Amino acid sequence: MSSNTRLSKAYKNAKTLLFDDSSKFIFFSDCHRGDNSFADDFANNRNVYFHAIRHYYKEGFQYCELGDGDELWENMHFKDIFDAHKNVYQQLREYHLKNRLHMIWGNHDMVYKDPDYVKKHLGSYFDPIDESNKDLFKDITYHEALVLKHRDTGQQIFLVHGHQADWWNYTFWRWARFLVRVLWTPLQVWGIADPTSPAKNYKELIKVERRIKKWILNNNKLITIVGHTHRPRFARPGEIPFFNDGSCVHPRSITGIEITNGAIVLIKWHIATKEDGTLQIVRVVLEGPKNLIDYQ
């Protein structure tokens, strides 16, 4: 199965979400939430990420996670991840209770393709204080892809992780997971990166991006937002409408994409120092905003 076929299949089977110019969305991906060990790249940005998702919740945003939210290659059990970042999942649960949480699986959390797995591991958690099970993401559904469709204009935005354009990480993800667990995770402490990951292999990154752009051109220049490569990308009107929200495991920062007031913008959250020496978490605009209607 080719990259084009995999992407087309994901688009055909995607769940459609209606939106309009009053809708607010934040897109994050590649959080790779781990167990807070030396291999947990998310741990460095946990406080920045938690502050950001709490801000978006208070501002009425819908949260869309475009895959690889949980690091289930290096970690075998979701419980270990949940225990390490419980405050994060409690905040995401608030989105879920308001029907504002939309989850896509990527190659590192591809086990979420299985509804039974999701129900068993994410549906509830054990609270040691009350010694009882409590709901977490009750009845949540993970998707391979989502399509945002504007109520008035009919304009569509395709949301997918992007590993559909990476044959090794899509077709042979179980082998890749095995290699990460037994080989690359131990070597990570020595600074040796996994060469099969497009996020750490520039040549593979370019190939993945090229395949997705080719698919976009073959599908009427459909606005497409992905993750997977960890490289933030923002297209201007007139260019191939290929966007990448980056990741939440950049050194000292996280990146994402917002849609508000009918416009799209690439943003970064990071820790900055005030003149008096105190620290604060700030949001910075990297690209945009650009009106979505200008991409038609």
Side-chain angles (χ1 to χ4, degrees):
M1 187 184 295
S2 67
S3 298
N4 183 76
T5 301
R6 288 191 292 267
L7 286 165
S8 294
K9 182 180 178 182
Y11 174 65
K12 179 181 178 181
N13 297 328
K15 177 182 177 181
T16 298
L17 300 175
L18 297 177
F19 79 108
D20 54 37
D21 288 349
S22 67
S23 302
K24 299 180 181 180
F25 289 93
I26 174 62
F27 306 100
F28 284 129
S29 73
D30 299 275
C31 300
H32 293 278
R33 293 180 290 263
D35 62 358
N36 204 32
S37 68
F38 71 90
D40 185 1
D41 294 328
F42 172 76
N44 294 327
N45 292 327
R46 172 176 51 192
N47 292 332
V48 175
Y49 173 83
F50 180 70
H51 175 81
I53 64 172
R54 187 167 55 179
H55 162 82
Y56 289 120
Y57 179 79
K58 292 177 180 178
E59 294 297 317
F61 279 70
Q62 299 189 54
Y63 179 94
C64 291
E65 193 163 272
L66 308 186
D68 284 5
D70 296 329
E71 180 47 72
L72 289 168
W73 281 11
E74 295 177 359
N75 305 281
M76 296 182 65
H77 306 293
F78 171 75
K79 182 181 182 301
D80 296 333
I81 302 173
F82 175 80
D83 289 342
H85 306 296
K86 188 174 180 179
N87 63 328
V88 167
Y89 291 101
Q90 294 287 14
Q91 181 60 68
L92 293 176
R93 180 174 183 269
E94 294 300 314
Y95 282 95
H96 180 56
L97 292 175
K98 298 289 187 181
N99 295 317
R100 288 159 48 190
L101 183 68
H102 312 288
M103 307 296 269
I104 288 173
W105 46 261
N107 51 306
H108 280 251
D109 51 12
M110 211 156 171
V111 290
Y112 292 157
K113 289 174 59 176
D114 183 357
D116 292 332
Y117 184 98
V118 172
K119 181 178 180 180
K120 178 180 179 181
H121 295 279
L122 277 68
S124 62
Y125 70 97
F126 180 76
D127 188 338
I129 297 177
D130 296 340
E131 295 185 347
S132 63
N133 286 321
K134 293 186 177 180
D135 288 341
L136 184 57
F137 302 125
K138 185 179 179 181
D139 299 326
I140 194 171
T141 300
Y142 273 71
H143 304 275
E144 181 175 6
L146 296 168
V147 170
L148 302 185
K149 184 175 181 179
H150 199 284
R151 286 189 176 91
D152 300 322
T153 67
Q155 186 177 29
Q156 294 187 5
I157 302 171
F158 182 41
L159 311 174
V160 69
H161 181 59
H163 67 301
Q164 291 78 2
D166 182 350
W167 69 274
W168 169 258
N169 281 296
Y170 188 93
T171 305
F172 299 105
W173 67 273
R174 288 183 176 86
W175 281 102
R177 180 180 63 182
F178 173 77
L179 291 173
V180 165
R181 286 179 178 174
V182 303
L183 182 61
W184 299 116
T185 298
L187 290 176
Q188 187 174 352
V189 72
W190 299 99
I192 300 175
D194 176 4
T196 66
S197 169
K200 300 172 183 177
N201 185 321
Y202 185 74
K203 289 183 178 179
E204 287 300 314
L205 181 154
I206 295 300
K207 289 179 182 178
V208 169
E209 290 186 351
R210 186 182 298 123
R211 292 170 191 142
I212 297 175
K213 288 180 179 179
K214 183 178 179 180
W215 183 87
I216 293 171
L217 288 174
N218 291 333
N219 287 270
N220 299 317
K221 293 187 176 181
L222 177 66
I223 296 177
T224 300
I225 306 176
V226 304
H228 189 52
T229 66
H230 295 199
R231 182 164 81 147
R233 304 296 285 168
F234 189 90
R236 294 177 175 82
E239 299 176 344
I240 299 174
F242 169 74
F243 295 83
N244 190 312
D245 60 9
S247 81
C248 295
V249 292
H250 299 294
R252 299 173 297 279
S253 69
I254 67 175
T255 57
I257 286 178
E258 299 173 1
I259 288 180
T260 58
N261 301 316
I264 187 168
V265 58
L266 176 68
I267 52 88
K268 176 177 78 171
W269 290 84
H270 69 114
I271 296 176
T273 306
K274 294 182 179 180
E275 291 185 3
D276 62 3
T278 58
L279 302 178
Q280 62 178 341
I281 299 173
V282 297
R283 169 187 172 276
V284 177
V285 174
L286 298 178
E287 296 276 358
K290 298 293 183 182
N291 292 326
L292 290 172
I293 198 68
D294 293 338
Y295 291 91
Q296 286 190 326

